[in-house]
Structure formats: C-alpha cells, structure tokens
C-alpha cells in the first residue's frame, strides 16, 4: 500500500472543516497532519486537536503537510494560501498544495490565489460534489439545444451562508452565458418588473439547514426543462475535497479545477 498523504485542515470547527476531518480520518490514503481554527478552546474533532490559526505558518514547516484543505472565508483563505506559498519560498519544507472550496472571493482575492499558483499547486472549486460537475457539463448542452427559452436559476442554502448567489450558481451562470445569447442577470424580482426576453433570473433562498440545492429552469410557453442538483449531506463535498487533496499532492505548481480530479 502507498503511504498516506498528510493534510492540514483550516476552519476545523466549521460545518465543512468537521466534515473534512471526518472524511479524512475515515480513509487509508490520507491522514490529518494538523487542524486549525481562529479561536480554538481545546476542542478536538474526531480525535484531532484543533490548534490556533495564528500557528498555521509554523505548523506548515513543522508538520510538512502535502496539502491543506480550506473551507473558511475569502479573507482567511487568501491568507492561508499566501502562507503556503511563503513556506514553499522558504525552500526547506515539502511543497504544500492548497485545495479550497471557499466561495465569495472578489477579484483581488482571486488574484492572490492565481499568484500563489505560480509557486504551489492550487485547486479552487466552488462545489466538490461530483453530481454538480455533471450538472455543469450538461447545462451548456441544454442551453444550446433550447435557444430563446427563458432561463432562471434558483439556489437554496442554510440560513448562515454568507455569500449570494452561491459559488456554484456563479459557475453555472458562467456556463449558461458561454453557451447562449443572454442579457443581464436579474437578481430577484419585485414590483412592476416584467421579464426581459434575454435576461437570466437568479434567485437565492436562505432557510434553515438546507445543505445546497441548485436548479436551472429552461422554459418556453409550451414546455419546461428543470435540471436539479440536491446535496443530501455535507459529506459529499468533504469526500470530493479529500479526493482532490490526494490527487494534487506532489503535482507541479499551477491552477487546478475539480474537473481535473474527476477526469484523471
Ligand atoms: N466547494 C464546496 O463544495 C463547498 C464550499 N463551501 C464553502 O466553504 C466555506 C465555509 O463554509 P461552512 O463550513 O459552511 O462555514 P462555517 O461558517 O461553518 O465555517 C467556516 C470556518 O472558517 C473559519 N473562519 C472564517 N473566517 C475566518 C478567518 N478570517 N480566519 C480564520 N478562520 C476563519 C470559521 O471560524 P470561526 O468559527 O471562528 O468563525 C469556521 O471555523 C464557505 O465559503 C462556503 O460557501 C461550503 C460547502 C461546500
Ligand atoms: O455554503 C455552503 O453551504 C455551500 N457553498 C457552496 C457554494 O457557494 O456553491 C457549495 C454548496 O452549495 C454548499
């Protein structure tokens, strides 16, 4: 059997951090080198001690993880990726790849990811569910096959989600726009606001503990097609992220996508 890779986990006590640790400790090809969070209080997650995020840089050099898996927020994710690139520039540690599922990056933050990818492998994916990648693959065909149909996208998530629309919704919208002639994205609708023929309606629901749902509606006046993905639990994202970390460990510097992992 090949040696397991070692991962660092950020946001360890968050919804996804906990799932990542659970997924990683459940398999033989991966071991948790360390886990960090902003203000740990001596907590462990699945037997893994959660250490202070302030020690992230020194943990990189002392534990030498093959990859870090990050589900935090855009600000912290950019700090963590920069720390991985800086540790690599130090030259005396294993290169640590950075796998992030964090969403809501602005252009400047995306530029930090891009620049880190010049020295370390960076994989950023707004959704680590394989079913969502299948949805991304088919939505372009559907749009091409149904020119002139109204297109609306509805996504639903839990009430603590910070960004809207979701990262996945933005990825799907890019795919829709790349495959048809569309006008503006209309976010929600109220008052006297009849639909423009070429607009794409975008609707974000935030309620309860919804794990993540994305639906694209393509409709004429005579028929409709609905393409839906529903995540049943967060474990599906965690398994995909750990698959990505195992795949990217030891890769050369550059930008990678979850589709690279699926196609490998
Ligand atoms: N790509 C994918 O498949 C998926 C992506 N996501 C994305 O992952 C991200 C996290 O989601 P989720 O786990 O639900 O969020 P949570 O709020 O449950 O967890 C976020 C974690 O990150 C920590 N964190 C937040 N900001 C910082 C910071 N500035 N510095 C250090 N730590 C920080 C939080 O710590 P604290 O508790 O101290 O605030 C918390 O532990 C979101 O962007 C979400 O959209 C989610 C699911 C799937
Ligand atoms: O915040 C979440 O929960 C999720 N975020 C991701 C997104 O923004 O697309 C992926 C998934 O839908 C869950």
């Amino acid at each position: 059997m090949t040696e397991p890779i070692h991962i660092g986990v950020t946001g360890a006590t968050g919804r996804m951090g906990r799932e990542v640790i659970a997924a990683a400790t459940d398999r033989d090809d991966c071991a948790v080198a360390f886990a960090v969070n902003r203000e740990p209080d001596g907590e462990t997650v699945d037997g893994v001690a959660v250490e202070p995020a302030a020690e992230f840089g020194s943990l990189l050099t002392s534990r030498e993880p093959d990859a870090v898996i990050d589900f935090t927020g855009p600000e912290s994710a950019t700090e963590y990726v920069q720390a991985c690139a800086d540790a690599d520039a130090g030259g005396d540690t294993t290169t640590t790849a950075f796998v992030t599922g964090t969403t809501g990056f602005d252009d400047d933050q995306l530029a930090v990811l891009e620049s880190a990818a010049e020295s370390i492998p960076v994989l950023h994916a707004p959704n680590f569910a394989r079913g969502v990648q299948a949805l991304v693959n088919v939505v372009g065909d559907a749009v091409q096959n149904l020119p002139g149909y109204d297109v609306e996208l509805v996504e639903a998530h839990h009430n603590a989600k910070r960004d809207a629309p979701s990262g996945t919704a933005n990825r799907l919208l890019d795919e829709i726009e790349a495959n048809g002639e569309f006008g503006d994205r209309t976010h929600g609708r109220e008052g006297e606001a009849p639909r423009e023929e070429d607009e794409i309606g975008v609707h974000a629901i935030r309620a309860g503990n919804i794990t993540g749902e994305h639906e694209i509606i393509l409709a004429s006046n005579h028929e409709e097609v609905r393409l839906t993905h529903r995540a049943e639990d967060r474990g599906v994202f965690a398994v995909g992220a750990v698959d990505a970390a195992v795949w990217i460990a030891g890769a050369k510097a550059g930008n990678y996508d979850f589709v690279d992992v699926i196609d490998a």
Side-chain angles (χ1 to χ4, degrees), residues 7-21 23 36-38 56 68-78 80 98-103 105 123-129 158 161-162 168 234-245 258:
I7 59 163
V9 181
T10 60
T13 55
R15 269 174 290 268
M16 280 306 302
R18 289 176 184 280
E19 294 285 347
V20 169
I21 293 172
V36 295
N37 205 24
R38 266 194 292 205
F56 183 73
V68 161
I69 300 183
D70 167 85
F71 288 89
T72 56
E75 209 177 294
S76 45
T78 46
Y80 288 132
F98 192 75
V99 172
T100 182
T102 297
T103 56
F105 292 103
L123 190 152
H124 171 217
N127 201 305
F128 281 103
H158 54 93
K161 183 163 176 61
R162 281 170 286 202
T168 309
R234 294 187 176 90
V236 71
F237 308 129
V239 167
V242 176
D243 286 345
F258 189 44

Side-chain angles (χ1 to χ4, degrees), residues 142-171:
V143 168
Q144 279 190 26
N145 282 306
L146 300 170
Y149 278 46
D150 297 334
V151 178
E152 301 265 321
L153 186 150
V154 186
E155 55 99 332
H157 286 86
H158 54 93
N159 57 22
K161 183 163 176 61
R162 281 170 286 202
D163 53 318
S166 68
T168 309
N170 285 326
R171 173 66 62 88

